[in-house]
Amino acid sequence: MGHWLHRNIVEPGKLPLLLALTAFVLTFVITRVITRLIRAGKGPFGNVSSGGVHIHHVVPGVVLTIVGGFGAVASGRHGFGAGLCAVVFGMGAGLVLDEFALILHLDDVYWSEEGRKSVEVVVLTVALVGLVLAGFSPFGVNDVSQGEAQDRGGVISSVVVNFLFAMLVLLKGKTRMAIFSVIVPLVGLIGLIRLARPGSPWARRFYARRPRARARAVLRAYHRDKRWSGPRRRFQDLIGGKPDPVRPVGR
């Protein structure tokens, strides 16, 4: 285990990335545990406020992200300073992305249905960083030898093709697949082959005069959402807690 860690993490300079990811995950988990205890009225924790203003944890998160980010740029990829800055950055990123939905909606939607977006973004971030740590490189340019690196045309072509894959998948309304296709091009190829999501730019452009394709796209999206919406919601509830029930208007 130690040999593998040194060869695959320490030597390539990925130790700060591993430390940042670990700090990110731990900070998110600890933050969610504390906020759920506050919500339930248990434990010694409570909301932080100053002058009647509720201080969301995204505020210290931004400060830690800035400090850790600039510190990491100044310290390089090796040494104690790089590791410390990586941990600080990971902690800040965990606090910020835990309230991603608040930043997106500019409203306190932490325990609402919209707040699930924070959990989705955190899980997606962990998955992408984990792929990079496992050896995947963006755009598929991985393990390039010194001789191959001189072939600029081949590298640039690979980058352009995989970028186009990601953009086309995004036009098909498959955001998650588009993001993962940047790291794993095969995901982009699968997204291109499959039908577009109803209402996506691709569907509006190419399915407008193809009623069969449009109907198949709607049916496939319906079955997929029906199949995965339940497990996805249970997974999000397990990580982030159940959102508050929606109250009827006027009550």
Side-chain angles (χ1 to χ4, degrees):
M1 180 63 182
H3 177 71
W4 178 91
L5 182 67
H6 183 78
R7 180 178 179 181
N8 295 280
I9 301 296
V10 178
E11 282 188 356
K14 292 182 179 181
L15 182 59
L17 184 60
L18 176 62
L19 293 173
L21 178 61
T22 304
F24 175 82
V25 173
L26 289 177
T27 301
F28 172 75
V29 172
I30 294 172
T31 302
R32 281 285 166 168
V33 170
I34 293 176
T35 54
R36 292 171 77 167
L37 289 174
I38 294 174
R39 186 189 189 191
K42 299 179 181 179
F45 307 103
N47 292 321
V48 179
S49 60
S50 176
V53 177
H54 174 58
I55 307 298
H56 292 273
H57 48 267
V58 67
V59 177
V62 170
V63 175
L64 290 174
T65 302
I66 293 174
V67 172
F70 278 107
V73 171
S75 62
R77 296 192 301 173
H78 300 277
F80 176 78
L84 178 62
C85 291
V87 171
V88 172
F89 177 82
M91 293 171 61
L95 293 173
V96 170
L97 292 189
D98 184 53
E99 294 202 309
F100 172 81
L102 180 146
I103 301 172
L104 179 65
H105 294 278
L106 293 179
D107 193 11
D108 190 0
V109 294
Y110 195 84
W111 294 117
S112 68
E113 192 69 25
E114 291 81 2
R116 294 178 182 271
K117 292 183 177 65
S118 297
V119 178
E120 292 183 6
V121 170
V122 167
V123 172
L124 186 62
T125 301
V126 172
L128 290 176
V129 177
L131 285 173
V132 174
L133 276 174
F136 290 93
S137 293
F139 309 111
V141 184
N142 190 32
D143 295 331
V144 179
S145 66
Q146 185 175 1
E148 293 171 334
Q150 295 176 355
D151 187 3
R152 301 292 183 179
V155 174
I156 293 174
S157 299
S158 176
V159 170
V160 171
V161 169
N162 289 319
F163 177 76
L164 289 176
F165 271 23
M167 290 302 298
L168 290 174
V169 174
L170 186 63
L171 289 175
K172 283 194 165 189
K174 303 174 181 180
T175 307
R176 297 182 185 87
M177 293 190 72
I179 296 174
F180 277 107
S181 67
V182 175
I183 306 295
V184 187
L186 180 61
V187 176
L189 181 60
I190 295 173
L192 283 176
I193 296 173
R194 295 174 66 86
L195 288 168
R197 294 278 302 180
S200 65
W202 184 284
R204 291 197 299 268
R205 175 64 179 84
F206 295 103
Y207 298 168
R209 298 182 180 180
R210 299 171 57 192
R212 287 189 177 182
R214 190 166 61 249
R216 287 174 55 207
V218 172
L219 186 62
R220 173 168 293 188
Y222 169 77
H223 286 303
R224 180 191 176 281
D225 293 343
K226 184 178 180 181
R227 182 186 307 117
W228 293 107
S229 61
R232 184 169 62 246
R233 290 174 67 90
R234 287 192 292 271
F235 178 70
Q236 292 172 348
D237 291 345
L238 177 65
I239 296 177
K242 291 184 178 180
D244 293 329
V246 180
R247 296 181 180 179
V249 179
R251 294 187 180 180

